[in-house]
Amino acid sequence: MKLTLIGGGGFRVPHVASVFQEDSPVHLDELCLYDIDPARLAIMRNVLVQLGLAEAIGSVTTTTSLSDAVRGADYVFSAMRVSGACGRVIDEREALCRGVLGQETVGVAGYAYAFRQIPEALRLARAVAELAPSAWVLNFTNPAGVITQAMRTIYPRVVSICDTPIGLVRRAIHVLGLEESTTTYDYVGLNHLGWLRSMTSNGVDHLPRLLADDSLLARMEETQVIGADWIRALGHMPNEYLYYYYKNREIVQRLRHGQTRGEFLVKQQGRFYESAEANPGRAGEVWRAADAERDATYMAEAREAGEGRPEEGIDIGGYPRVALELMNALSNGATSQFQMILGVGNSDDESGRGLLVPELRADAVVEVPCVVDANGIHPRRPEPVTGPELGLMTAVKACEELVIEAALKGDREIAWKALASHPLVDSIDVAREVLDAYIARNPDVARVFAQG
């Protein structure tokens, strides 16, 4: 089995390789790392060897040729980052200096990221359609829902992966003392915008018990960043990224006067790559230290100073574990079935009852629970979405569709409309200023709109 990783010089490659060890239910004959930066490819291959992660994989290859990388692949993981971490700095800071949220997957910063990612994502989709037409593409590239929806216009076997919703579910199951194999749940949303609305075991919905118990609720990471009172008012458990919507004023104020995540990562990863290249014999050790620092500071802007992430004694596993479970079910589904939350097409409902979320377009990518086996991915129809949650979903999805249209057409006016219509943008003039700044400062964004 061949797995191709797009963005193979990226910092998190060892996390992906780590799940394919000797006890893995999925055996790889080849892990192909593709990147446009040969120096980073060499560094990450060296890290894999030093960490002992290459031994259990039949072969670890590297290439800067997209055709060679994709040809014959059974699975393609897309984790590209056009413009690198430096692009993220521009995305976040140009928004923040105008009083608008700068976070790479939410709002205008996420849309700037999408503008420059979409052309390359479409190039990948075309290559897979031509050179590996039966492969599954597992998209990790942010903003995941937008990129997946764009890629599916060319190649339908694309699904988006995110560990945040399944991490929420697994924490709740653990805190409630339930068994994952016998628990079903209702979750619905978009990427980084969704809600856990029920958790049923033995015919009983246990989510109300979680929301009513102070001690149980306090053990949930989502409570730490959003707050118990608001979660109880909602009556369901929000994805932690909804923090950026529910406390937008507070986070913008905090980030305007501090270091953005992009600025932190540019410095931290820059130090790692420089050190790993200068000291190749210590590359694995240097990576471990940098990875620990990165993990400890994840979503640090959402916490008070000195406040750490809750320790629950449960291995959530991250997106590589979700990807492994998906590959295992698709490859070995005669004996293995997994329930997971994935980004799928709104028209992928197999129940014969229409769209998964009837208020959205048929081609919309939504996140819902799915059962996966050798016959494919089978979304479970969620309960109806109503009220403010439906309003937020439809508003954000409408903006995402404008982002895709703007990138495909190279149309600046549609791009402006996408930014200006986002729920977290309060001025059409500011939206235009931010878009103009993105185009002026980032050639990869400017190139998309060169003819517009």
Side-chain angles (χ1 to χ4, degrees), residues 178-249:
L178 305 176
E179 293 292 331
E180 185 172 354
S181 61
T182 59
T183 302
T184 59
Y185 43 84
D186 180 58
Y187 181 97
V188 67
L190 311 178
N191 181 241
H192 289 179
L193 192 161
W195 301 266
L196 174 63
R197 303 183 298 171
S198 70
M199 179 158 283
T200 303
S201 180
N202 296 320
V204 177
D205 181 6
H206 292 266
L207 189 61
R209 175 164 65 91
L210 173 60
L211 300 185
D213 190 315
D214 287 342
S215 62
L216 294 180
L217 198 55
R219 293 165 61 187
M220 295 294 295
E221 185 167 327
E222 292 73 15
T223 305
Q224 188 182 87
V225 298
I226 293 174
D229 290 345
W230 182 244
I231 291 174
R232 286 199 181 98
L234 290 174
H236 36 249
M237 182 66 70
N239 181 306
E240 65 185 346
Y241 277 85
L242 278 159
Y243 166 80
Y244 296 109
Y245 292 88
Y246 294 149
K247 294 191 175 182
N248 180 62
R249 180 188 295 263

Side-chain angles (χ1 to χ4, degrees), residues 68-247:
D68 290 345
V70 167
R71 186 176 289 108
D74 298 284
Y75 293 93
V76 177
F77 288 5
S78 177
M80 65 178 71
R81 180 174 283 277
V82 177
S83 300
C86 292
R88 179 174 180 174
V89 170
I90 296 171
D91 297 344
E92 294 175 342
R93 187 52 68 186
E94 290 297 337
L96 286 167
C97 72
R98 293 168 175 83
V100 177
L101 176 69
Q103 202 284 333
E104 76 160 348
T105 68
V106 176
V108 297
Y111 292 173
Y113 195 10
F115 290 143
R116 62 182 186 273
Q117 299 276 83
I118 286 173
E120 291 304 309
L122 296 181
R123 186 167 77 95
L124 171 61
R126 293 187 188 100
V128 175
E130 178 184 354
L131 301 171
S134 63
W136 279 99
V137 178
L138 280 57
N139 180 51
F140 309 135
T141 298
N142 279 322
V146 180
I147 301 304
T148 300
Q149 188 164 325
M151 292 183 74
R152 283 170 60 99
T153 64
I154 291 174
Y155 187 71
R157 290 166 69 91
V158 184
V159 60
S160 72
I161 295 281
C162 183
D163 59 322
T164 302
I166 196 61
L168 162 59
V169 166
R170 286 176 172 155
R171 278 190 294 274
I173 287 173
H174 177 73
V175 167
L176 287 165
L178 305 176
E179 293 292 331
E180 185 172 354
S181 61
T182 59
T183 302
T184 59
Y185 43 84
D186 180 58
Y187 181 97
V188 67
L190 311 178
N191 181 241
H192 289 179
L193 192 161
W195 301 266
L196 174 63
R197 303 183 298 171
S198 70
M199 179 158 283
T200 303
S201 180
N202 296 320
V204 177
D205 181 6
H206 292 266
L207 189 61
R209 175 164 65 91
L210 173 60
L211 300 185
D213 190 315
D214 287 342
S215 62
L216 294 180
L217 198 55
R219 293 165 61 187
M220 295 294 295
E221 185 167 327
E222 292 73 15
T223 305
Q224 188 182 87
V225 298
I226 293 174
D229 290 345
W230 182 244
I231 291 174
R232 286 199 181 98
L234 290 174
H236 36 249
M237 182 66 70
N239 181 306
E240 65 185 346
Y241 277 85
L242 278 159
Y243 166 80
Y244 296 109
Y245 292 88
Y246 294 149
K247 294 191 175 182

